[in-house]
Amino acid sequence: PGEIVLLQNCRLNKGEKKNDDALAKKMAALCDIYVNDAFGAAHRAEATTHGMAQFASIACAGPLMAAEIEALTRALDHPARPLVAIVGGAKVSTKLTVLRNLAPKVDQLLVGGGIANTFLLAAGSPIGKSLAEREMVEEASEVMKTCTQRGCMVPLPVDVVCAKALSADSKAEPKATQNVAADDMILDIGVESARALQAIIAGAGTVVWNGPVGVYEYAQFAQGTRLVAEAIARSKAFSIAGGGETLAAIAKFGVTDSVSYISTGGGAFLEFLEGRKLPAIDVLEQRAAG
């Protein structure tokens, strides 16, 4: 009594990553109650996140884990409508499952960053030498088709901010989307597009945000992400945001306290948005049911 025992660097233990039963039993025997409060590791089936929960006499979720599950379930399974999802970032391929899972659920799907460039390409718009995944054009078209069939909108940028190169001192050039030149790089959405997104966010009942809509790290390409962040901060909607870059943008624009719930999970948040069962949560649910 009065002592704390810390098991340090558990991921280095032999058998941890393979969710070894012998290791899990050995660690579970150290405690009377197993509490998992690490949502950020909930997508991993490992000895400390999954195995221990199977073998401990009592297993439960901690307050952070419970809050994460409650917030994400509220946003995706029982949302106040309209449900608006903002999915930004560099690649469609890393978020394709998220987009496919959200397309049948949301009322508005807002795309940004390199993902929006791929969607613009799919819609037949010029994108110059912008970051995009040409091999994912068909998949982007399918996501838009799924949304359109349901009456869900995927508003694409009507104006953008371009530069000839990506650097801290690159000259930003606002222009209409159809005027993007062959040597242009799209690095942010334009003011008109940002205002359209602001209006959608203002009318939302629930907002789920994962990924910036431009290269917000550089001031001249940060306006789109800043305006989206400020719109979420002003909105009366229940808002949830997650992912490293999203949280960095939220902190940069000073709206942390105005977002209803900020998820601590990176990969776990993404997998929840993909509609996957997270192993660490799944085993706790099984124990609760049993």
Side-chain angles (χ1 to χ4, degrees), residues 89-90 112-114 117 131 161 163 165-168 185-189 212-226 245 249 252-253:
N117 295 340
L131 173 69
V161 179
L166 173 56
S167 68
M185 294 175 77
I186 300 171
L187 300 173
D188 194 12
I189 57 173
V213 297
V215 186
Y216 73 94
E217 296 91 342
Y218 298 141
Q220 68 271 42
F221 310 120
Q223 184 171 242
T225 303
R226 178 176 61 77
E245 286 212 323
K252 179 173 182 173
F253 301 124

Side-chain angles (χ1 to χ4, degrees), residues 114-190:
I115 291 172
N117 295 340
T118 304
F119 274 69
L120 283 169
L121 201 59
S125 294
I127 63 163
K129 57 177 185 177
S130 308
L131 173 69
E133 292 176 288
R134 282 161 174 79
E135 71 280 8
M136 299 300 288
V137 163
E138 199 173 313
E139 283 80 357
S141 297
E142 280 301 312
V143 169
M144 287 192 282
K145 187 178 171 185
T146 301
C147 288
T148 306
Q149 286 169 346
R150 293 181 51 248
C152 158
M153 285 175 59
V154 186
L156 297 178
V158 293
D159 62 336
V160 290
V161 179
C162 297
K164 301 305 179 189
L166 173 56
S167 68
D169 54 1
S170 293
K171 184 175 180 291
E173 192 180 348
K175 53 176 67 181
T177 304
Q178 69 265 25
N179 296 334
V180 172
D183 61 346
D184 276 335
M185 294 175 77
I186 300 171
L187 300 173
D188 194 12
I189 57 173

Side-chain angles (χ1 to χ4, degrees), residues 82 84 108-110 153 155 195-205 207 235:
V84 175
Q108 305 262 15
L109 182 60
L110 315 182
M153 285 175 59
R195 285 189 182 140
L197 298 193
Q198 283 187 312
I200 291 167
I201 292 163
V207 178
S235 170

Side-chain angles (χ1 to χ4, degrees), residues 238-249:
F238 174 73
S239 53
I240 182 166
E245 286 212 323
T246 313
L247 303 197

Side-chain angles (χ1 to χ4, degrees), residues 31-287:
C31 65
D32 298 309
I33 303 170
Y34 167 85
V35 184
N36 188 340
D37 208 25
F39 177 77
H43 59 308
R44 300 191 183 114
E46 297 180 350
T48 53
T49 61
H50 186 271
M52 280 182 77
Q54 287 179 301
F55 301 118
S57 8
I58 298 172
C60 63
L64 174 73
M65 178 76 88
E68 291 270 0
I69 296 167
E70 189 182 326
L72 282 159
T73 303
R74 177 180 170 185
L76 295 176
D77 295 347
H78 315 290
R81 299 278 178 179
L83 168 56
V84 175
I86 304 159
V87 182
K91 295 182 176 180
V92 170
S93 55
T94 57
K95 295 188 181 174
L96 179 62
T97 317
V98 172
L99 294 164
R100 280 179 177 157
N101 186 48
L102 292 176
K105 295 179 179 180
V106 300
D107 300 298
Q108 305 262 15
L109 182 60
L110 315 182
V111 291
I115 291 172
N117 295 340
T118 304
F119 274 69
L120 283 169
L121 201 59
S125 294
I127 63 163
K129 57 177 185 177
S130 308
L131 173 69
E133 292 176 288
R134 282 161 174 79
E135 71 280 8
M136 299 300 288
V137 163
E138 199 173 313
E139 283 80 357
S141 297
E142 280 301 312
V143 169
M144 287 192 282
K145 187 178 171 185
T146 301
C147 288
T148 306
Q149 286 169 346
R150 293 181 51 248
C152 158
M153 285 175 59
V154 186
L156 297 178
V158 293
D159 62 336
V160 290
V161 179
C162 297
K164 301 305 179 189
L166 173 56
S167 68
D169 54 1
S170 293
K171 184 175 180 291
E173 192 180 348
K175 53 176 67 181
T177 304
Q178 69 265 25
N179 296 334
V180 172
D183 61 346
D184 276 335
M185 294 175 77
I186 300 171
L187 300 173
D188 194 12
I189 57 173
V191 175
E192 195 179 330
S193 299
R195 285 189 182 140
L197 298 193
Q198 283 187 312
I200 291 167
I201 292 163
T206 305
V207 178
V208 178
W209 184 17
N210 177 244
V213 297
V215 186
Y216 73 94
E217 296 91 342
Y218 298 141
Q220 68 271 42
F221 310 120
Q223 184 171 242
T225 303
R226 178 176 61 77
L227 291 175
V228 165
E230 288 171 354
I232 293 170
R234 284 194 303 271
S235 170
K236 292 182 173 66
F238 174 73
S239 53
I240 182 166
E245 286 212 323
T246 313
L247 303 197
I250 285 169
K252 179 173 182 173
F253 301 124
V255 299
T256 304
D257 294 341
S258 304
V259 177
S260 309
Y261 192 83
I262 291 180
S263 175
T264 58
F269 180 77
L270 212 55
E271 288 197 19
F272 201 105
L273 294 187
E274 288 174 353
R276 292 199 211 180
K277 273 273 186 191
L278 304 188
I281 295 172
D282 193 32
V283 69
L284 293 177
E285 286 174 348
Q286 286 170 27
R287 287 297 305 269

